[in-house]
Amino acid sequence: MASDRIHKTMMNAKVGFIFYFVSIFLAFFSRRIFLECLGDSFIGLAGTLYSILNFLNISEIGIGTCIAYFLYKPIVDHDETKICEIVSLFGYLYRIIGTIILTGGVIISAFFPLIFDDQSISLGIVYFAFFALLGSNLIGYFINYRQILLDSDQKTYKISLWTQTVGAIATIIQIALAYNTHNPYLWVTIQFLLSIVTCWILNWVISREYPWLKTDKSKGREILKRYPDILVKAKQIVIHRLKNFFLSKSDEILIFAFESLQMVAYYGNYVMIVGKLTALFNSVLVGTNASIGNLVAEGNKWNIRKVFWEYLTFRYWTTGIFIIALAFLINPIIGWWVGPQYILQDHIVFLILLNMYIMLTGPAVALFINAYGLYDDTWSAYAEAIINLTITIIVGYFYGLIGILLGKVISLILFAVIWRPIYLYRRGFKESIISYWIGIMSHIGILLLCILLNYYAIKLFQWEILPSIYDIIKYSVCITLPTITIYSLLVIFFSPGAKDLLKRIPSTKQL
């Protein structure tokens, strides 16, 4: 079972890793074309509309997370009857949620004349883009619900293979149309049509992979009575989902409210860089949710703890590499990529990178909390959301983007960094958390030491990084690369889990 889990994890990683580099090339190339050919206002509009859709998706209330949790055990036991029942229930619940999202979308759209009344972009493109993106989103609720079985069965690579391929094709077509026509309507149309193609392909893949999977959404109400725990878990998760939205999905809306659509586009450039590095994590770690859920379902406590430290070390080590590089390179990259006029102030960049560090390392704990099905700390979600919104509204009103980022960072430190590890060790691992804090402090201390080393190296050589690709590469090779090498060696020698992680490299090569 363990070798099968590792094999599926590696397949997910290999496929995700390949498409990551395809997507990052297209994203950076397309972003500049879209800004030049479609304008700051339209790109800012697209980011704002995606945030509105993310808000509507709160209606999903964590049903997908609940269903995945309840699927792990029957997948381990090869209980096909139970799997069919749970996926049917998922389809039934998703049909209800899809209807709620559609209704909410129509209601919100009625206020667009007020929301966008002082913007330079026409209401015609606002409505066209919103309903096209809404339609693409609803496909997942009404038709693509069966793909949760591929996710829970550690076969996310089969989803990634097709969705990423179609996404790459869509981006190429959008680049060509934007460059030649400067028409935002065509950009949106391609986005919608390719989502339909993706839907058809995924359903074909699922039917081939699980020919025995027979679902009947009409029996959902009856099946729900046999799985009352799903709604109990869902009611707990909805609070956490609401909080997660305010922390990670509302940036563009808040920036639009306190600043402008143009600032949404400026901030979006940095978010794209951070997002692509996050996607690198996802490309390597895609499918680990299901793998760790499977691991916890097996119940081997020693192995669970060992994998936890390997996974945590990988996240902290890789995130540290990103932070060391971006701390001194992100502004030159922005200046070279889209122009120096898009560079934000250093203190804003610092908050963006601090937020990135917490957001990329936090899932190491959150993933195991989900695998144990621990969601009843709803008080923490309320507290985190209140603290975040209070700081955001008060400071954001006076200082704009700084206040929005401060609200996120402070609330994340209190709960993602401090509370959730305590919760996992108390309710999941059921052991002392002292060893955790010692391990985490070693990661943070090593990172700070290497950032200081990088800073003094710049001072020593009197290096000024210009926004040119030559200067960026030269600096990366001469200063950043040696610092990252030192950082990696320190992690290997002084961080728990690092040596066990390295031992996996030879074994994975044999798969």
Side-chain angles (χ1 to χ4, degrees):
M1 180 62 70
S3 61
D4 182 57
R5 182 168 58 244
I6 294 173
H7 174 71
K8 289 179 178 178
T9 301
M10 290 305 301
M11 284 297 298
N12 287 327
K14 289 174 184 177
V15 172
F17 199 66
I18 291 170
F19 278 103
Y20 166 77
F21 287 102
V22 173
S23 66
I24 196 171
F25 170 77
L26 289 174
F28 278 89
F29 181 72
S30 65
R31 181 78 178 185
R32 184 162 187 167
I33 296 294
F34 294 155
L35 283 169
E36 291 178 354
C37 299
L38 301 178
D40 295 348
S41 294
F42 176 74
I43 299 303
L45 170 69
T48 303
L49 293 180
Y50 275 120
S51 291
I52 292 173
L53 290 175
N54 285 327
F55 172 77
L56 293 172
N57 281 327
I58 291 177
S59 302
E60 199 268 350
I61 64 171
I63 290 295
T65 304
C66 277
I67 294 297
Y69 171 72
F70 283 95
L71 277 173
Y72 294 144
K73 185 63 174 174
I75 288 174
V76 170
D77 297 337
H78 303 286
D79 190 339
E80 295 179 359
T81 300
K82 197 168 186 178
I83 291 171
C84 289
E85 286 184 347
I86 295 175
V87 176
S88 295
L89 174 58
F90 184 56
Y92 166 74
L93 295 174
Y94 254 35
R95 183 174 61 185
I96 296 173
I97 293 166
T99 303
I100 293 172
I101 291 173
L102 175 60
T103 304
V106 172
I107 293 172
I108 289 176
S109 68
F111 295 92
F112 282 174
L114 297 175
I115 297 172
F116 298 98
D117 65 334
D118 60 346
Q119 302 300 320
S120 58
I121 200 161
S122 71
L123 280 177
I125 187 59
V126 171
Y127 276 106
F128 183 80
F130 178 72
F131 281 107
L133 296 175
L134 177 62
S136 300
N137 188 50
L138 290 175
I139 288 173
Y141 290 97
F142 289 106
I143 303 175
N144 273 354
Y145 65 91
R146 295 192 304 163
Q147 79 176 47
I148 192 171
L149 182 54
L150 286 171
D151 281 322
S152 300
D153 198 19
Q154 305 168 64
K155 296 179 181 178
T156 310
Y157 64 91
K158 293 181 180 290
I159 300 174
S160 301
L161 181 64
W162 291 106
T163 56
Q164 296 282 3
T165 299
V166 175
I169 294 171
T171 302
I172 292 170
I173 295 173
Q174 286 173 320
I175 290 172
L177 290 174
Y179 185 79
N180 289 290
T181 68
H182 296 240
N183 190 328
Y185 288 93
L186 293 177
W187 186 93
V188 175
T189 300
I190 294 301
Q191 196 83 358
F192 176 71
L193 293 178
L194 270 297
S195 66
I196 296 175
V197 173
T198 303
C199 170
W200 182 86
I201 292 173
L202 285 179
N203 276 279
W204 172 75
V205 170
I206 294 167
S207 296
R208 289 193 60 184
E209 187 71 23
Y210 307 104
W212 48 264
L213 181 62
K214 308 298 179 184
T215 60
D216 187 352
K217 291 184 286 185
S218 64
K219 295 182 179 179
R221 186 184 296 272
E222 175 188 339
I223 297 172
L224 184 58
K225 295 177 182 178
R226 299 199 291 271
Y227 298 93
D229 288 348
I230 288 179
L231 287 185
V232 173
K233 295 287 185 185
K235 289 175 182 178
Q236 296 169 350
I237 293 175
V238 63
I239 307 302
H240 294 282
R241 281 299 177 93
L242 286 168
K243 175 265 303 179
N244 287 339
F245 166 74
F246 290 119
L247 285 177
S248 61
K249 303 298 183 182
S250 61
D251 289 356
E252 286 82 358
I253 293 176
L254 292 170
I255 294 170
F256 169 63
F258 291 125
E259 298 269 6
S260 65
L261 280 177
Q262 285 72 26
M263 182 56 73
V264 174
Y266 284 36
Y267 175 68
N269 296 327
Y270 287 82
V271 170
M272 175 168 285
I273 293 175
V274 171
K276 287 305 171 182
L277 293 177
T278 303
L280 177 58
F281 259 121
N282 294 335
S283 69
V284 175
L285 300 175
V286 64
T288 51
N289 287 30
S291 297
I292 291 173
N294 179 277
L295 173 70
V296 171
E298 290 178 5
N300 187 325
K301 293 184 179 180
W302 179 87
N303 201 29
I304 290 170
R305 209 77 75 257
K306 177 176 175 290
V307 171
F308 171 74
W309 277 108
E310 292 174 17
Y311 183 73
L312 182 143
T313 296
F314 180 82
R315 274 196 169 269
Y316 271 86
W317 168 62
T318 313
T319 304
I321 291 174
F322 293 156
I323 296 298
I324 290 170
L326 291 181
F328 303 97
L329 281 176
I330 192 167
N331 274 345
I333 289 173
I334 291 290
W336 163 74
W337 173 35
V338 290
Q341 70 272 23
Y342 289 97
I343 293 176
L344 296 176
Q345 296 169 301
D346 288 341
H347 54 278
I348 294 178
V349 175
F350 168 77
L351 290 174
I352 291 173
L353 294 182
L354 179 57
N355 176 68
M356 172 189 175
Y357 186 74
I358 300 171
M359 293 293 287
L360 288 182
T361 55
V365 170
L367 187 54
F368 279 80
I369 288 177
N370 292 338
Y372 278 101
L374 300 174
Y375 308 110
D376 59 357
D377 64 327
T378 52
W379 70 268
S380 68
Y382 286 115
E384 188 174 357
I386 290 170
I387 291 171
N388 176 52
L389 283 176
T390 300
I391 297 172
T392 297
I393 292 172
I394 295 175
V395 185
Y397 178 81
F398 294 101
Y399 298 102
L401 183 54
I402 296 174
I404 295 168
L405 292 173
L406 271 178
K408 293 180 65 174
V409 167
I410 292 173
S411 60
L412 281 170
I413 289 173
L414 291 174
F415 294 93
V417 176
I418 298 174
W419 162 246
R420 285 194 192 91
I422 296 173
Y423 183 53
L424 173 63
Y425 270 76
R426 182 183 298 170
R427 297 288 303 280
F429 294 161
K430 298 180 180 178
E431 63 181 43
S432 172
I433 196 174
I434 299 299
S435 61
Y436 173 83
W437 294 126
I438 294 173
I440 294 306
M441 287 301 105
S442 69
H443 280 288
I444 296 174
I446 292 169
L447 176 61
L448 291 176
L449 176 64
C450 291
I451 289 176
L452 286 174
L453 179 64
N454 212 359
Y455 173 78
Y456 283 113
I458 293 174
K459 292 292 184 182
L460 178 64
F461 294 104
Q462 299 181 344
W463 204 307
E464 181 183 359
I465 314 170
L466 301 174
S468 69
I469 189 62
Y470 171 76
D471 207 55
I472 290 170
I473 293 174
K474 185 171 67 172
Y475 168 82
S476 300
V477 172
C478 296
I479 294 183
T480 303
L481 187 58
T483 305
I484 288 174
T485 302
I486 295 170
Y487 169 74
S488 298
L489 290 173
L490 291 174
V491 169
I492 291 170
F493 285 110
F494 295 104
S495 297
K499 291 182 176 62
D500 287 330
L501 181 63
L502 287 177
K503 290 176 183 177
R504 287 192 178 271
I505 296 176
S507 64
T508 55
K509 289 180 179 178
Q510 296 172 6
L511 294 176

